[in-house]
């Protein structure tokens, strides 16, 4: 299970540091993730190949895709899917008690390198608001806006599994896959901000 979590983490962290989803991140550091005492890296060019044309040259990324319960095409479609949102509605939802609970739940196992749990929900909220300013939101857009490099941790109080916000839409590996979490996050934000 730890290898599956590490593999799923790879893409999540990789996408979190993209400066622009379809252009080279010239100044971004290598992508890293941890599981136990292991640290792994994937380059931007390897991730870019997957996003742009579906080519996967990195073994850990391939494992993350394989263990996500989705096909490569399903993931690429889901990660790039765009949703129309109202910035005011998104902001009001995220500022509400329900929104705060949503952010806390969605960052339960997801921590930034610096300050650990104290900034995870705040960083995710900032990324969502920044992506929604143009009235559109997507997984890639949220990842592009993350102000810190996130990582999924299987150390300490976390179990290394993400809480997918649409549990009735997933089963098996999809239910705890970091890739599923990214795919469903903008859809859940849109649905909650329209209530």
């Amino acid at each position: 299970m730890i290898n599956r979590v590490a593999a799923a983490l790879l893409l999540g962290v990789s996408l979190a540091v993209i400066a622009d989803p379809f252009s080279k991140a010239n100044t971004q550091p290598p992508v890293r993730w941890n599981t136990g005492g292991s640290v792994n890296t994937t380059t931007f060019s390897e991730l870019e190949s997957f996003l742009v044309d579906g080519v996967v040259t990195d073994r850990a990324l391939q494992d993350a895709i394989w263990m996500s319960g989705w096909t490569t095409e399903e993931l690429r479609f889901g990660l790039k899917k765009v949703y129309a949102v109202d910035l005011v509605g998104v902001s009001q939802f995220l500022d509400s008690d329900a929104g705060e609970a949503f952010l806390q739940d969605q960052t339960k196992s997801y921590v930034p390198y610096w300050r650990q749990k104290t900034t995870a929900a705040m960083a995710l909220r900032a990324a969502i608001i920044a992506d929604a300013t143009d009235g559109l939101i997507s997984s890639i857009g949220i990842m592009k806006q993350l102000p810190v490099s996130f990582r999924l941790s299987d150390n300490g109080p976390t179990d290394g599994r993400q809480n997918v916000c649409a549990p009735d839409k997933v089963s098996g590996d999809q239910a705890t896959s970091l890739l599923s979490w990214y795919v469903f996050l903008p859809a859940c934000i849109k649905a909650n901000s329209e209530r």
Side-chain angles (χ1 to χ4, degrees):
M1 180 63 188
I2 289 176
N3 287 338
R4 295 176 81 157
V5 170
L9 166 67
L10 168 62
L11 183 60
V13 175
S14 298
L15 295 174
V17 297
I18 296 174
D20 183 334
F22 302 108
S23 67
K24 220 167 210 165
N26 296 323
T27 60
Q28 295 297 330
V31 176
R32 299 185 185 275
W33 77 98
N34 74 291
T35 177
S38 175
V39 177
N40 300 286
T41 302
T42 293
T43 66
F44 179 81
S45 62
E46 292 164 336
L47 178 61
E48 184 179 46
S49 293
F50 171 67
L51 293 175
V52 173
D53 57 26
V55 174
V56 180
T57 58
D58 180 63
R59 181 178 172 183
L61 178 57
Q62 180 62 53
D63 288 346
I65 295 165
W66 178 73
M67 292 183 285
S68 71
W70 302 100
T71 68
T72 299
E73 289 307 311
E74 288 170 330
L75 287 172
R76 288 179 65 230
F77 174 80
L79 291 171
K80 294 190 271 184
K81 185 171 182 179
V82 177
Y83 298 85
V85 294
D86 174 57
L87 177 61
V88 173
V90 170
S91 183
Q92 287 175 340
F93 165 64
L94 294 176
D95 287 339
S96 70
D97 291 341
E100 183 60 32
F102 174 83
L103 290 170
Q104 292 297 326
D105 182 60
Q106 293 304 295
T107 58
K108 182 178 178 184
S109 293
Y110 208 160
V111 296
Y113 281 101
W114 302 104
R115 299 196 63 203
Q116 301 294 323
K117 298 301 286 180
T118 60
T119 59
M122 205 176 355
L124 182 58
R125 181 191 183 285
I128 293 166
I129 294 296
D131 188 39
T133 57
D134 63 355
L136 301 172
I137 196 168
S138 68
S139 299
I140 296 299
I142 293 169
M143 292 175 221
K144 176 183 171 185
Q145 298 296 333
L146 285 169
V148 295
S149 297
F150 276 34
R151 63 186 164 99
L152 188 65
S153 176
D154 64 354
N155 300 323
T158 64
D159 59 8
R161 307 173 109 193
Q162 272 308 120
N163 295 331
V164 175
C165 63
D168 58 323
K169 305 285 185 200
V170 293
S171 62
D173 290 337
Q174 297 169 349
T176 56
S177 165
L178 184 59
L179 301 181
S180 288
W181 180 82
Y182 275 124
V183 166
F184 285 97
L185 181 63
C188 291
I189 293 164
K190 177 179 174 62
N192 282 299
S193 67
E194 292 177 341
R195 292 182 181 174

